[in-house]
Amino acid sequence: MTTLDPNRTHFVIPAALVADTTELLAEPGREGFEGSVLWIGRVVGETTVHVTRAYRPEQLAHATAAGLAVTLTEDGLTALIISLTDGEIVLARLHTHGNDDVNHSAVDDANLVVAHPGALSVVVPFFAATGIHLTHCGVHVLAADHKWRRLTAVETHERVEIR
């Protein structure tokens, strides 16, 4: 199994892929629902990974008295696994919140789609209607102790490169 260093992994993401991800996330948001997209890619060096594609798995959006949530279906998870080619891994999960709160909720913390240390979880505000600007997102990394830690703006700038 590939291991990412939660303290040093550098993510390289094509700008066109960020634009595609924005549209995939904004689509359910226009209906008032959260959306989720996965960034898939490869490890290319000791501390560098390249995101090569955005993947929106089959998912169910929920609106309850407790708030909004989005979960993958079993078929969606199966299709995701089948879609992975040799050497590909899920590097990040991005999902939207309807407001400017980009912290992880208890539901976000319990999400098991990305469960390996070093993976990212990016919370995009306002259903991605204003785009994905990492300075406005909550960028969280899964630490070695399997707890999510929000990166500071400086850490995000140092560790996530969009080009």
Side-chain angles (χ1 to χ4, degrees), residues 68-155:
L68 300 175
V70 62
T71 57
L72 299 187
T73 65
E74 284 187 37
D75 287 345
L77 188 55
T78 300
L80 165 65
I81 293 166
I82 291 169
S83 82
L84 295 175
T85 62
D86 191 37
E88 279 190 322
I89 62 171
V90 177
L91 297 168
R93 174 186 184 241
L94 293 88
H95 79 281
T96 58
H97 283 178
N99 55 28
D100 64 351
D101 180 5
V102 293
N103 291 305
H104 253 212
S105 68
V107 172
D108 297 338
D109 286 345
N111 181 285
L112 295 178
V113 175
V114 284
H116 52 281
L120 295 181
S121 175
V122 180
V123 181
V124 182
F126 304 114
F127 296 131
T130 59
I132 298 173
H133 308 283
L134 294 180
T135 54
H136 300 121
C137 296
V139 180
H140 310 261
V141 65
L142 191 59
D145 64 1
H146 292 278
K147 293 186 179 181
W148 290 102
R149 180 180 72 80
R150 185 167 172 184
L151 297 178
T152 66
V154 170
E155 289 172 315

Side-chain angles (χ1 to χ4, degrees), residues 8-94:
R8 299 182 341 151
T9 300
H10 181 77
F11 292 77
V12 178
I13 306 131
L17 192 135
V18 175
D20 292 344
T21 302
T22 299
E23 181 52 35
L24 290 170
L25 288 171
E27 185 180 322
R30 288 189 283 274
E31 302 295 322
F33 292 106
E34 290 186 357
S36 182
V37 169
L38 304 173
W39 278 348
I40 296 171
R42 299 179 181 282
V43 175
V44 296
E46 185 179 325
T47 61
T48 303
V49 297
H50 284 182
V51 176
T52 56
R53 64 186 174 111
Y55 182 88
R56 183 173 60 189
E58 182 179 275
Q59 52 199 265
L60 296 172
H62 311 277
T64 68
L68 300 175
V70 62
T71 57
L72 299 187
T73 65
E74 284 187 37
D75 287 345
L77 188 55
T78 300
L80 165 65
I81 293 166
I82 291 169
S83 82
L84 295 175
T85 62
D86 191 37
E88 279 190 322
I89 62 171
V90 177
L91 297 168
R93 174 186 184 241
L94 293 88

